[in-house]
Amino acid sequence: MEFSIKNGNPEKLRTDCLVVGVFEGRKLSDSAKQVDEAANQAISTVLKSGDMEGKLASTLVLHQVPNVVATRVLLVGLGKAAEFTERHYRQAVRAAVKALPKGVQNVGFTLTELSIKKSDIQAKVAHLVETVLGATYIVNAIKEKKPQEHALDKVIVQVEKAETTAAEHAVNSGLGIAKGVRLAKDLGNLPPNICTPTYLGEQAKKLAKDYGFKVEVLDKAQIEKLGMGSFLGVAQGSLEPPKLIVLQHLKGKKSEKPVALVGKGITFDTGGISLKPGAEMDEMKYDMCGAASVLGTFKAIGELDLPLNVVGIIPTCDNMPSGNALKPGDVLTSMAGLTIEVLNTDAEGRLILCDALTYAERFEPSAVVDIATLTGACVIALGNHASGLFSNNDGLAKELLDAGEKSYDRAWHMPLWDDYQSQLDSNFADMANIGGRAGGSITAACFLSRFAKKYDWAHLDIAGTAWKSGKEKGGTGRPVPLLTTFLMQRAHKTK
Ligand code: BES
Ligand code: MN
Ligand code: ZN
């Protein structure tokens, strides 16, 4: 899809479909007003007839609007003017895309004219780009007949002349993020018999080739050599060989310490011997969405050619029950030398991440962020809107929270107090791998924190935000927007 920035009168815009907004109470946006005046009140006349009130995300297509160059005018409802926020803006853009008649290949948006608190032209344009690409995303389903692609291939974004340069930059960053989101969705949506650890390794190599990253995909023998007893404990139940993927984007100063992103790559989580119930178990193919978000973020920073050093570390394997699988009661020795009593084989994410966190030390990172579909408890705590954020450094936490707000991919700061640590006490090892039902997402983070003492670290629990269930089942590509925005902010600071 191609995006271009234009200035000028909306009624003169040459496009298959011009999108203008209408607030509740049939109140026209500035562009809608301008088009209405040029068109001898054609819009207000239709509104007066009662066809549209301006309810959020409602739409109406008008044809042959007099004195308007566009073939069609699409009215989109914006809801109450006084309550208009970023969320409403995104909903309106999405509704407009979904309502485009089939033949429309080229659309013109005027919605960036709407004022939104705490948002500027750059944010509005970037969100428009991401929302349009999100709304036209099609799952690459394995069906006899390939799903038809959206006809839309050109999007014009109408802005004020003075906003042009900022808007053009925003198209660029929005596109970079959207491409990363798309990759993360695609990987998440793939079936687990295709998206194996080996497959993820191949994808990392492909990305490295496309964008000039350094890449290494370590195999089981190399992982053994590193002493990753905890990671290997999880992997041992599966016939699929584990991989440790290491990607490096080295576009910062040589002396600059890298940011490390560590992604949980469980390509299928059955629970292992502590087997999960059967209902909806298919969704555990999404247990590699942390890994997918690291690959997606690398795609985005590759596209944007971000002047920064970034390392991606992905431990990836299946969690399966078998004659060879981990058992409750087993004690594993991690790469850090700390021993872990496995009380529940379904708490496997932390077991593969702890070794990856120890591995991260060798890069002397300025910060490490791990991303994991780690706990059902996080979904209970925060639902599907915010990712859980835990950190041993408040400054880093703030950077990530801000990036989440800016990219509308939000996280919520959770406690990581020492008070919770004793829930992990074990009679038989340095720690247990579970801390009981109370505060399950917090004790999981506490477990990880024990392996992240040598650097500034944050953990994003994306169990509730990485995919959607039900009719809209599918990966969301989160938190690629948050992570990419965080890295963009860092690149800006170190320049
Ligand atoms: N991958 C799951 C977490 C998960 C559960 C994500 C549901 C999304 C939806 C993780 O490996 C897991 O099974 N966690 C257990 C931990 C428990 C055994 C302490 C959980 O949350 O039930
Ligand atoms: Mn599990
Ligand atoms: Zn899991």
Side-chain angles (χ1 to χ4, degrees):
M1 202 153 336
E2 207 183 290
F3 288 81
S4 56
I5 300 293
K6 290 217 168 122
N7 320 122
N9 295 330
E11 70 274 17
K12 301 241 167 78
L13 194 68
R14 190 165 299 283
T15 168
D16 294 345
C17 188
L18 177 71
V19 180
V20 297
V22 180
F23 287 107
E24 227 168 272
R26 305 175 194 170
K27 197 173 153 268
L28 300 183
S29 67
D30 289 346
S31 291
K33 240 183 250 162
Q34 202 177 325
V35 174
D36 190 46
E37 271 161 33
N40 311 324
Q41 280 72 46
I43 296 181
S44 33
T45 308
V46 172
L47 293 181
K48 265 189 213 131
S49 71
D51 286 11
M52 190 180 173
E53 289 297 330
K55 218 175 121 250
L56 182 65
S58 61
T59 55
L60 185 67
V61 182
L62 308 180
H63 289 264
Q64 290 167 335
V65 182
N67 309 324
V68 172
V69 174
T71 317
R72 309 167 185 79
V73 174
L74 172 64
L75 306 180
V76 59
L78 304 173
K80 293 202 174 76
E83 290 170 10
F84 195 69
T85 62
E86 203 162 86
R87 186 164 74 88
H88 299 134
Y89 171 74
R90 291 173 71 108
Q91 278 178 346
V93 172
R94 194 180 162 83
V97 174
K98 293 282 182 194
L100 287 177
K102 261 215 163 79
V104 172
Q105 290 181 307
N106 172 311
V107 65
F109 278 96
T110 61
L111 302 181
T112 48
E113 70 182 344
L114 304 167
S115 68
I116 304 169
K117 240 195 236 153
K118 286 198 266 179
S119 190
D120 53 17
I121 186 68
Q122 245 172 308
K124 284 187 281 189
V125 172
H127 286 183
L128 186 126
V129 173
E130 289 170 48
T131 307
V132 170
L133 286 168
T136 50
Y137 175 80
I138 291 170
V139 175
N140 191 10
I142 303 158
K143 297 190 185 187
E144 192 178 10
K145 246 183 155 175
K146 279 270 157 214
Q148 224 189 339
E149 291 222 2
H150 215 285
L152 185 65
D153 65 1
K154 277 207 177 69
V155 179
I156 302 162
V157 187
Q158 183 90 358
V159 303
E160 296 285 333
K161 202 160 193 147
E163 298 170 331
T164 308
T165 313
E168 274 162 359
H169 281 167
V171 164
N172 193 37
S173 57
L175 269 176
I177 290 175
K179 285 183 188 169
V181 165
R182 182 159 292 210
L183 175 63
K185 284 183 181 177
D186 279 342
L187 291 172
N189 288 333
L190 280 173
N193 58 334
I194 292 178
C195 188
T196 60
T198 306
Y199 182 89
L200 286 179
E202 294 303 319
Q203 293 306 302
K205 284 183 191 160
K206 189 165 167 289
L207 274 179
K209 204 167 149 225
D210 291 349
Y211 296 101
F213 305 140
K214 207 170 141 189
V215 66
E216 271 179 293
V217 179
L218 308 190
D219 63 13
K220 188 170 161 224
Q222 292 168 295
I223 300 167
E224 272 166 359
K225 222 166 167 189
L226 287 167
M228 295 188 164
S230 186
F231 175 20
L232 288 166
V234 176
Q236 77 193 23
S238 176
L239 293 172
E240 283 297 336
K243 303 284 175 196
L244 181 73
I245 302 168
V246 186
L247 270 172
Q248 295 187 66
H249 166 91
L250 301 170
K251 293 286 176 81
K253 291 194 198 95
K254 247 205 167 130
S255 58
E256 176 200 297
K257 291 179 168 184
V259 174
L261 303 177
V262 178
K264 172 178 173 183
I266 294 288
T267 45
F268 197 80
D269 182 11
T270 64
I273 295 299
S274 313
L275 193 65
K276 287 183 181 295
E280 279 124 46
M281 204 208 269
D282 66 288
E283 294 193 3
M284 283 301 131
K285 73 174 183 180
Y286 289 112
D287 215 16
M288 36 56 72
C289 281
S293 77
V294 173
L295 295 175
T297 301
F298 265 77
K299 172 135 192 132
I301 63 175
E303 284 283 330
L304 300 175
D305 205 19
L306 223 57
L308 198 71
N309 296 330
V310 186
V311 183
I313 304 169
I314 297 173
T316 171
C317 67
D318 276 342
N319 184 25
M320 297 291 282
S322 80
N324 214 27
L326 266 186
K327 302 171 292 296
D330 283 358
V331 172
L332 300 173
T333 301
S334 65
M335 182 178 175
L338 294 166
T339 58
I340 304 158
E341 185 189 8
V342 179
L343 290 177
N344 190 318
T345 65
D346 198 11
E348 84 297 340
R350 61 199 81 180
L351 295 175
I352 72 169
L353 287 170
C354 67
D355 282 341
L357 288 172
T358 303
Y359 184 79
E361 287 172 11
R362 67 187 55 204
F363 298 100
E364 296 178 37
S366 62
V368 178
V369 182
D370 79 68
I371 310 100
T373 48
L374 202 64
T375 66
C378 191
V379 191
I380 303 299
L382 297 175
N384 307 107
H385 300 294
S387 303
L389 169 69
F390 303 81
S391 181
N392 62 11
N393 181 293
D394 284 342
L396 176 60
K398 176 142 194 321
E399 282 182 68
L400 291 161
L401 290 169
D402 287 349
E405 289 288 342
K406 201 161 172 215
S407 56
Y408 203 73
D409 180 6
R410 293 179 293 183
W412 191 256
H413 200 171
M414 301 279 283
L416 191 70
W417 301 327
D418 280 344
D419 309 55
Y420 293 94
Q421 289 281 358
S422 61
Q423 285 177 241
L424 296 170
D425 287 351
S426 161
N427 286 349
F428 305 102
D430 291 323
M431 70 196 87
N433 78 326
I434 54 169
R437 272 169 59 80
S441 68
I442 303 170
T443 50
C446 284
F447 180 97
L448 296 177
S449 73
R450 297 177 180 211
F451 299 86
K453 291 198 165 145
K454 302 213 170 119
Y455 42 67
D456 292 347
W457 159 80
H459 156 60
L460 286 164
D461 193 330
I462 58 166
T465 52
W467 78 90
K468 288 186 175 157
S469 309
K471 224 178 93 192
E472 278 188 273
K473 194 191 279 184
T476 59
R478 291 179 69 181
V480 170
L482 182 158
L483 294 169
T484 309
T485 306
F486 160 69
L487 295 173
M488 281 162 56
Q489 288 170 354
R490 284 230 159 182
H492 207 71
K493 257 197 305 193
T494 55
K495 235 195 329 204

